[in-house]
């Protein structure tokens, strides 16, 4: 039998283990819910921002605490036991209650959060955020947001920025990380360019098509390496030192260019020569110093960015 205890934990009473009654922390049960949702330890670990080994140890400790196996582990994934299914169901109920409590608290505290939050990221993601952050000000009018754009990562340990959003997961131990989603890229041009070079597109004769790309100091960026590997090894006739310059050139008819798909979706005159280039996919990670976890202003920004990236995963926009 499983019951809620008055101190906010879950109290597990098994008919076989009544003498070993334990009080379980909600955070451990939250991990169980992730395992049930993802179906694999690796998937749940990625979503929780943990390593698979750490999540496995947490699950071992939890099963030892309750005195029963919660999950049957197989090479291809995880299946909850009958007892684990009961625990998952209650954990989900508690999760919904916890989310509703958080929403109520956030509504009450929206005007209390105040101060400046500095976000360090690269060009593509700066554009992604600046074009989607307007509703944040409505919800948190006293929080100011600074988006600091640079290819060089700012030091979170030295508090050069409060948050970082980068296409890799930082390894520093004093950082809290969160996987936000995956950025995808395609090859785009205007409708006019596509019409004029339709035959070359159809035959993939890329050497005869105009391209826009990065300049020489940035020629080793992954997108430019991919572009030069196309049949015919096209060399961009227009070269830019920054990503949004490529967008400007492509959008105004200068030729084909590699763009983040969310950028292209905002430009109504662009068409895709190659809609998705899987080898250019980038996992996007948010990171912050562990000392900022309790900051109301930082939490407000982190939660909002989580919603924005969730919408992007669902709609591609």
């Amino acid at each position: 039998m499983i019951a809620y205890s008055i101190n906010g934990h879950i109290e597990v009473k098994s008919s076989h283990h009544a003498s070993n009654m334990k009080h379980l922390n909600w955070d451990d049960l939250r991990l169980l819910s992730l395992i049930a949702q993802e179906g694999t330890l690796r998937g749940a670990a990625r979503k929780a921002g943990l390593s698979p080994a750490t999540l496995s140890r947490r699950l071992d400790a939890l099963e030892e605490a309750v005195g029963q196996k919660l999950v049957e582990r197989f090479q291809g994934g995880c299946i909850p036991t009958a007892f684990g299914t009961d625990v998952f169901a209650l954990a989900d109920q508690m999760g919904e209650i916890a989310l509703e409590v958080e929403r109520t608290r956030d509504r009450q505290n929206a005007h209390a959060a105040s101060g400046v939050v500095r976000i360090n990221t690269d060009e593509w993601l700066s554009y992604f955020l600046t074009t989607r952050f307007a509703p944040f000000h409505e919800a948190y009018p006293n929080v100011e947001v600074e988006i600091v754009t640079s290819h060089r990562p700012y030091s979170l340990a030295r508090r050069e920025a409060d948050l970082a959003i980068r296409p890799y997961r930082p390894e520093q131990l004093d950082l809290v990380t969160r996987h936000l989603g995956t950025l995808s890229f395609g090859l785009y041009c205007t409708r006019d360019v596509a019409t004029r070079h339709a035959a070359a597109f159809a035959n993939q004769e890329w050497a005869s098509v105009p391209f826009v790309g990065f300049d020489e100091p940035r020629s080793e960026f992954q997108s430019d390496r991919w572009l030069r590997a196309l049949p015919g090894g096209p060399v961009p006739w227009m070269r830019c030192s920054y990503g949004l310059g490529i967008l400007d050139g492509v959008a105004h008819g200068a030729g084909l260019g590699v763009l983040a798909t969310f950028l292209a979706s905002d430009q109504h005159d662009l068409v895709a020569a190659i809609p998705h280039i899987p080898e250019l996919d980038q996992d996007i990670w948010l990171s912050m110093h562990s000392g900022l976890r309790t900051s109301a202003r930082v939490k407000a920004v982190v939660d909002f960015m989580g919603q924005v990236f969730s919408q992007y995963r669902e709609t591609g926009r």
Side-chain angles (χ1 to χ4, degrees):
M1 181 180 93
I2 307 168
Y4 295 113
S5 68
I6 59 173
N7 61 4
H9 292 65
I10 286 183
E11 185 178 276
V12 178
K13 299 178 182 178
S14 166
S15 58
H16 299 293
H17 300 273
S19 61
N20 271 339
M21 188 175 67
K22 302 287 185 180
H23 293 287
L24 307 180
N25 190 293
W26 157 243
D27 194 54
D28 289 334
L29 292 164
R30 180 181 63 85
L31 296 180
L32 278 184
S33 292
L34 289 179
I35 293 171
Q37 292 165 15
E38 297 296 314
T40 65
L41 287 182
R42 184 173 296 277
R46 183 175 62 249
K47 202 162 188 179
L50 301 172
S51 69
T54 298
L55 181 60
S56 181
R57 287 195 296 272
R58 295 273 292 268
L59 179 57
D60 289 341
L62 186 58
E63 289 181 331
E64 183 179 351
V66 300
Q68 291 197 52
K69 184 174 284 294
L70 297 167
V71 172
E72 295 288 356
R73 307 180 210 190
F74 302 96
Q75 188 172 359
C78 299
I79 298 176
T81 63
F83 180 66
T85 299
D86 289 340
V87 175
F88 288 141
L90 285 175
D92 283 341
Q93 290 176 34
M94 286 195 70
E96 289 300 321
I97 294 169
L99 284 174
E100 188 54 40
V101 171
E102 289 179 2
R103 293 188 193 105
T104 302
R105 179 202 61 199
D106 290 344
R107 286 193 294 269
Q108 293 175 344
N109 292 341
H111 285 69
S114 63
V116 179
V117 177
R118 284 168 58 84
I119 306 169
N120 175 227
T121 190
D122 63 20
E123 290 172 76
W124 298 128
L125 291 166
S126 285
Y127 184 93
F128 182 85
L129 294 178
T130 55
T131 55
R132 289 159 175 78
F133 241 90
F136 177 84
H137 184 61
E138 304 260 333
Y140 297 93
N142 297 317
V143 178
E144 301 170 29
V145 176
E146 291 183 7
I147 299 176
V148 185
T149 307
S150 75
H151 292 298
R152 176 187 73 83
Y154 279 36
S155 172
L156 299 179
R158 294 196 298 271
R159 303 300 170 90
E160 291 179 343
D162 299 306
L163 301 171
I165 304 178
R166 292 285 171 182
Y168 55 82
R169 184 178 185 177
E171 299 296 331
Q172 295 95 314
L173 295 178
D174 57 349
L175 297 184
V176 177
T177 62
R178 175 177 175 180
H179 183 251
L180 292 175
T182 302
L183 206 61
S184 60
F185 293 81
L187 188 63
Y188 295 90
C189 64
T190 60
R191 297 179 190 279
D192 179 62
V193 169
T195 299
R196 286 190 285 116
H197 297 278
F201 283 18
N203 297 318
Q204 296 193 349
E205 295 174 349
W206 303 116
S208 63
V209 179
F211 278 83
V212 182
F214 283 109
D215 61 4
E216 184 61 31
R218 294 155 188 81
S219 61
E220 288 308 306
F221 281 10
Q222 190 178 10
S223 58
D224 256 40
R225 291 202 306 271
W226 176 87
L227 191 154
R228 293 197 305 273
L230 287 172
V235 176
W237 77 270
M238 178 184 286
R239 295 180 287 276
C240 307
S241 62
Y242 61 104
L244 293 182
I246 297 175
L247 170 64
D248 291 338
V250 170
H252 289 83
L256 279 164
V258 176
L259 299 174
T261 53
F262 76 82
L263 279 173
S265 67
D266 288 343
Q267 310 292 321
H268 300 302
D269 190 46
L270 294 188
V271 295
I274 301 177
H276 181 213
I277 307 168
E279 52 265 53
L280 296 185
D281 282 355
Q282 295 179 350
D283 280 333
I284 304 302
W285 291 86
L286 178 148
S287 56
M288 64 179 174
H289 194 276
S290 58
L292 291 176
R293 280 183 297 187
T294 58
S295 167
R297 60 184 171 80
V298 171
K299 186 179 185 305
V301 171
V302 169
D303 289 348
F304 181 80
M305 284 196 292
Q307 295 169 19
V308 166
F309 275 90
S310 177
Q311 180 178 349
Y312 171 66
R313 287 195 300 271
E314 294 173 2
T315 66
R317 299 179 63 89

